[in-house]
Amino acid sequence: MPQSIVVMGVSGAGKSSVGQALATQLGAQFIDGDTLHPEANVKKMASGVPLTDEDRWPWLHLVGTQLSASDNATIVACSALKRSYRDAIRTAAPATTFILLQAGRTALQDRLTQRPGHFMPASLLTSQLETLEELQDDESGVMIESTGGIDTTVERIRKLLERSALV
């Protein structure tokens, strides 16, 4: 298994749920990237204002640092929406594998409206979808539909990682 994995995608794709379940199955440490955001970022998003790149750089650096600092396999849930964001993470943790969770807009919207208490409002989904840059051919990772439930998605990821010789 790769030492460092980022489960990525837009809000509502299932990053935290799938990342935690994958970590449990693989015996890896799990970190929810949302817990690494500075309070100012959380407040900004909670008020419905998208983060700027300047807001994200310190957070992305911390994500990469967390991945590189671990002696054990580590999975981080992190949006990593742009190639430049993933590059920032790879600067600290070069061998990171990215798993892009994908779902249709309706499914994402439904998930967001069904998770009360989360700081990220459904109103920011459009901004995230517009920002998302899919994985490029030269990036280590896989894209997977996050439909059919958490267990199904984790099983799809495991099979893709095995087929991609990333395990």
Side-chain angles (χ1 to χ4, degrees), residues 35-113:
T35 65
L36 303 176
H37 272 295
E39 187 62 30
N41 284 7
V42 173
K43 286 180 181 178
K44 193 171 187 179
M45 289 183 284
S47 68
V49 178
L51 297 179
T52 65
D53 286 355
E54 290 72 32
D55 296 324
R56 287 186 179 98
W57 296 129
W59 172 65
L60 293 164
H61 175 73
L62 186 54
V63 169
T65 300
Q66 292 287 312
L67 286 166
S68 67
S70 179
D71 291 332
N72 301 313
T74 303
I75 297 175
V76 176
C78 170
S79 55
L81 297 175
K82 289 183 180 180
R83 168 70 186 250
S84 60
Y85 302 166
R86 297 186 295 273
D87 288 345
I89 293 169
R90 278 190 291 264
T91 296
T96 299
T97 297
F98 292 85
I99 299 169
L100 172 55
L101 299 181
Q102 299 177 306
R105 184 183 189 91
T106 301
L108 294 167
Q109 194 72 38
D110 289 347
R111 291 175 186 175
L112 291 173
T113 58

Side-chain angles (χ1 to χ4, degrees), residues 4-167:
S4 301
I5 295 176
V6 171
V7 178
M8 61 170 285
V10 299
S11 187
K15 299 179 296 290
S16 297
S17 300
V18 170
Q20 178 66 64
L22 183 63
T24 298
Q25 277 198 21
L26 299 178
Q29 172 188 0
F30 175 73
I31 301 170
D32 190 330
D34 284 346
T35 65
L36 303 176
H37 272 295
E39 187 62 30
N41 284 7
V42 173
K43 286 180 181 178
K44 193 171 187 179
M45 289 183 284
S47 68
V49 178
L51 297 179
T52 65
D53 286 355
E54 290 72 32
D55 296 324
R56 287 186 179 98
W57 296 129
W59 172 65
L60 293 164
H61 175 73
L62 186 54
V63 169
T65 300
Q66 292 287 312
L67 286 166
S68 67
S70 179
D71 291 332
N72 301 313
T74 303
I75 297 175
V76 176
C78 170
S79 55
L81 297 175
K82 289 183 180 180
R83 168 70 186 250
S84 60
Y85 302 166
R86 297 186 295 273
D87 288 345
I89 293 169
R90 278 190 291 264
T91 296
T96 299
T97 297
F98 292 85
I99 299 169
L100 172 55
L101 299 181
Q102 299 177 306
R105 184 183 189 91
T106 301
L108 294 167
Q109 194 72 38
D110 289 347
R111 291 175 186 175
L112 291 173
T113 58
Q114 294 174 16
R115 63 175 196 186
H118 193 277
F119 66 84
M120 182 70 132
S123 63
L124 290 180
L125 179 59
T126 297
S127 168
Q128 289 208 327
L129 289 168
E130 290 170 353
T131 301
L132 178 63
E133 297 173 0
E134 292 188 355
L135 292 170
Q136 297 174 10
D137 290 341
D138 64 334
E139 292 185 272
S140 176
V142 295
M143 291 184 277
I144 185 88
E145 284 291 320
S146 62
T147 55
I150 295 168
D151 293 338
T152 299
T153 302
V154 169
E155 187 57 30
R156 288 177 186 157
I157 291 168
R158 290 185 65 160
K159 286 179 180 176
L160 279 173
L161 289 175
E162 288 168 5
R163 256 187 265 144
S164 301
L166 297 171
V167 181

